[in-house]
Amino acid sequence: MRVILLGTAAGGGFPQWNCWCPTCRAARSDPRSALPRSQSSVAVSADGAHWFLLNASPDVRDQVQQLNGHAPDGYRHVPIEGVVLTDAELDHSLGLVLLREGRKLRVYATEAVENMLTADSRLLSVARAFADVRVTRLQVGQTTPLTLRDGGDAGLTIEPLVVAADPPRFAARNEAGHTVGLIITESATGTRCAYLPGCGAIDDALLARLAGSAMILFDGTFWSNDELIRLGIGERTALQLDHLPMSGSEGSLGRLGALPVKHRVYVHINNTNPVLLEGSAERRAVEAAGLTVGMDGMRFDL
Ligand code: MLT
Ligand code: MN
Ligand code: ZN
């Protein structure tokens, strides 16, 4: 399975347009000390030619350029086979309307996510005014094969995992499955990649599910629980925002650091997180635990 990290920042990207926190300042004054990042999205493929997006970010237009191989014969070519969604958060779904020129778009989502995108944010309804958008329902506890645009089997399956989270702020409903992680499995080899860009807790059951993966892409939003409060730019803790912080006795670094998984990579990194600073103590702590701070354009062959 091939994996490309298209965007590794959380909503707002890095640096964030209106933010002058220490890390955003560094990204502007010395971009080599804090590399800019686009918003949360990943591409996966079984063959390195047919790609699926995991979430569709507001930066999708630039991000899909990385998936264009050699020039196509015709005048139109859509370089993605479909979009798999973990939730209906804006940073993960605004790209759906930006892909409307694709004419045909296959989306994989739980019923709860489909409902929020149809009736609450209406992004799916808007996209449908321009394109034939087909939603294949994902169900917790079930494995769904991914299908190519030509109807063939993509060689990958998806299983959604329930994660600790509240529905998005704009949601008018709170249905089970509103926020999930994904286990992507390559059918031919059984190789697995776990993708959890938003996750408020890691219990033993989740840890056991993650253990057999070749790769874990995990919520790297915040370093500390009181990060936004200490900077004076937010009132809520990381946990209140449903993002398990990296540090602390219950933090993701300790939990994932103990897992014998080759590739453990943080994605969805908020602009305030000091791991974004090259050479920071927090960056060194992540690397000392055997994890990687994700960067746009990173490619993995699992
Ligand atoms: C999140 O990751 O918590 C959400 O995407 C917040 C947001 O809307 O930016
Ligand atoms: Mn987000
Ligand atoms: Zn900032």
Side-chain angles (χ1 to χ4, degrees), residues 9-293:
F14 181 62
Q16 181 170 303
W17 66 279
N18 64 336
C19 193
W20 289 86
C21 76
T23 35
C24 286
R25 273 178 200 273
R28 290 195 183 91
S29 62
D30 180 13
R32 280 169 313 172
S33 73
L35 304 173
R37 285 163 166 83
S38 67
Q39 296 171 81
S40 182
S41 184
V42 171
V44 293
S45 171
D47 61 7
H50 298 88
W51 294 95
F52 289 83
L53 295 184
L54 308 181
N55 292 322
S57 95
D59 300 318
V60 69
R61 180 181 175 280
D62 292 319
Q63 290 171 341
V64 295
Q65 302 293 335
Q66 298 182 53
L67 308 179
N68 275 321
H70 52 79
D73 294 333
Y75 289 155
R76 290 286 170 94
H77 174 68
V78 176
I80 56 167
E81 304 296 320
V83 180
V84 190
L85 299 171
T86 58
D87 53 69
E89 294 284 0
L90 294 174
D91 52 349
H92 286 157
S93 59
L94 276 166
L96 289 177
V97 292
L98 306 179
L99 293 169
R100 67 192 180 282
E101 296 94 348
R103 302 293 295 276
K104 275 188 192 167
L105 188 62
R106 193 185 289 264
V107 172
Y108 297 79
T110 64
E111 184 176 3
V113 169
E114 182 183 3
N115 288 343
M116 286 185 290
L117 290 172
T118 304
D120 297 343
S121 74
R122 293 199 73 255
L123 291 174
L124 204 50
S125 310
V126 172
R128 281 192 163 125
F130 300 89
D132 171 16
V133 185
R134 296 207 189 148
V135 179
T136 300
R137 292 259 176 91
L138 299 175
Q139 257 176 3
V140 172
Q142 277 186 28
T143 295
T144 300
L146 296 183
T147 304
L148 301 174
R149 286 172 73 86
D150 67 9
D153 178 40
L156 297 171
T157 66
I158 299 285
E159 184 192 339
L161 297 178
V162 172
V163 293
D166 287 325
R169 233 178 265 203
F170 61 79
R173 66 206 70 239
N174 186 351
E175 297 167 349
H178 60 72
T179 306
V180 296
L182 305 172
I183 302 272
I184 306 104
T185 305
E186 186 174 50
S187 312
T189 59
T191 301
R192 278 185 292 176
C193 171
Y195 175 58
L196 298 91
C199 184
I202 304 179
D203 61 16
D204 290 340
L206 177 57
L207 210 56
R209 280 309 309 273
L210 300 180
S213 313
M215 171 175 230
I216 302 170
L217 301 170
F218 196 80
D219 183 341
T221 310
F222 298 112
W223 171 256
S224 51
N225 193 36
D226 62 354
E227 192 164 310
L228 297 180
I229 297 169
R230 261 191 303 122
L231 288 165
I233 58 180
E235 293 80 43
R236 292 195 279 177
T237 64
L239 289 170
Q240 285 168 343
L241 293 166
D242 303 313
H243 296 294
L244 181 65
M246 296 177 178
S247 68
S249 56
E250 298 296 311
S252 60
L253 197 53
R255 299 290 273 168
L256 299 179
L259 278 185
V261 169
K262 185 169 179 200
H263 302 287
R264 289 159 294 167
V265 183
Y266 281 120
V267 294
H268 192 278
I269 305 161
N270 196 56
N271 65 80
T272 51
N273 192 327
V275 301
L276 290 169
L277 293 170
E278 308 287 322
S280 65
E282 293 84 357
R283 168 70 67 88
R284 285 200 297 275
V286 168
E287 289 169 355
L291 277 78
T292 301
V293 173

